[in-house]
Each structure stands twice: as C-alpha cells, then as structure tokens.
C-alpha cells in the first residue's frame, strides 16, 4: 500500500496526495513543508513555482493550494511521474501543472533568469554500500 500525505493549508487543505512506493522517494513531511511555507508565505500567491526532483509533488501541490498560479514538476522516475499525474488529476489542477520527464540538473541549467518566482531543489541522497 502506498503512503499518503496531506495538504496543510489553502484551497486543498486536508486533501490527501498519493506517494510513490519504495525507498527511493522521501516525501517532504508536514512539518518541513509548514516551515518552508511559513518562510515563503508572501512569495507564493501568484507565483510560478518550480519543483525539481519532484517525487510526489507535495511541495508543488501545497504551493498551488496556497495560491501559486502554476507549478512545473521535474522528475525522471516512472512511478513518480504517474503519481504526479494522478495527484494533479485528483486535485483538478492539470491546467496549472506541467510535468517534465527529464534530468533536474539539466533542466535547471537551461532556465532563463526570472522564469520562475519560487524554486525548490532537494537533491536526493544516494545510499552507498
């Protein structure tokens, strides 16, 4: 069974998001998202948001819930891409979401200044054995 996250505040408060199964995706927890949005609360309404290494898209969907006009998700894992699509459909925000299947670093290298108002980059930790 897949884990679920909830949207903390805004238009979609309390709505649940699907999360990809497995240990390769570590969704940003409620407390971290709450702290992040507390810091950025004035920048979110009307913002164009970029969510690199998107995973479940929890941060991007939280931003939409709090008034962002659009979110671009960048992800390479098929399971995460499917979850991003399912979450955007469940929230009925497909017209405000763009999902890019590409390497996040390469995507970021091609960005133009001012293309996004808020960007989130959390590089995944790769476990070494």
């Amino acid at each position: 069974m897949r884990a679920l996250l909830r949207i903390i505040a805004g238009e979609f408060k309390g709505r649940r998001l699907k999360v990809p199964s497995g240990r390769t995706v570590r969704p940003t927890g409620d407390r971290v998202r709450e702290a992040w949005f507390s810091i950025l609360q004035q920048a979110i309404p009307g913002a164009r948001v970029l969510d690199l290494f998107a995973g479940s898209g929890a941060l991007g969907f939280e931003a939409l819930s709090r008034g962002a006009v659009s979110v671009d998700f960048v992800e390479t894992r098929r399971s995460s891409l499917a979850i991003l699509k399912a979450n955007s459909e469940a929230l009925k925000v497909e017209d405000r979401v763009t999902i890019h299947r590409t390497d996040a670093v390469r995507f970021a290298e091609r960005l133009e200044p001012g293309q996004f108002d808020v960007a989130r980059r959390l590089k995944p930790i790769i476990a070494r054995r």
Side-chain angles (χ1 to χ4, degrees):
M1 185 171 141
R2 288 194 167 108
L4 294 173
L5 289 176
R6 67 180 178 87
I7 301 285
I8 300 166
E11 177 183 355
F12 307 123
K13 182 179 179 177
R15 298 281 304 269
R16 300 229 176 242
L17 298 173
K18 292 181 181 181
V19 177
S21 59
R23 295 179 358 169
T24 58
V25 175
R26 295 173 296 114
T28 306
D30 288 358
R31 288 185 185 187
V32 174
R33 280 184 287 125
E34 192 168 3
W36 196 72
F37 282 100
S38 177
I39 293 166
L40 294 174
Q41 65 186 350
Q42 301 302 318
I44 298 300
R48 297 162 297 162
V49 176
L50 173 62
D51 193 348
L52 298 169
F53 303 103
S56 67
L59 281 169
F61 291 118
E62 185 76 41
L64 285 175
S65 182
R66 293 174 184 241
V69 294
S70 65
V71 176
D72 281 45
F73 294 107
V74 181
E75 183 57 69
T76 57
R77 290 185 191 93
R78 287 183 188 193
S79 60
S80 293
L81 292 163
I83 293 293
L84 289 166
K85 185 173 189 258
N87 284 336
S88 66
E89 290 171 352
L91 295 174
K92 298 181 181 8
V93 293
E94 302 97 327
D95 60 330
R96 297 165 56 193
V97 166
T98 303
I99 301 170
H100 303 272
R101 182 181 183 181
T102 189
D103 179 76
V105 174
R106 287 190 193 123
F107 185 90
E109 289 172 345
R110 294 188 309 259
L111 291 175
E112 297 293 325
Q115 192 170 344
F116 294 96
D117 302 304
V118 177
R120 191 278 301 199
R121 178 192 78 69
L122 290 177
K123 186 175 181 180
I125 297 171
I126 300 171
R128 295 184 183 178
R129 295 180 187 228

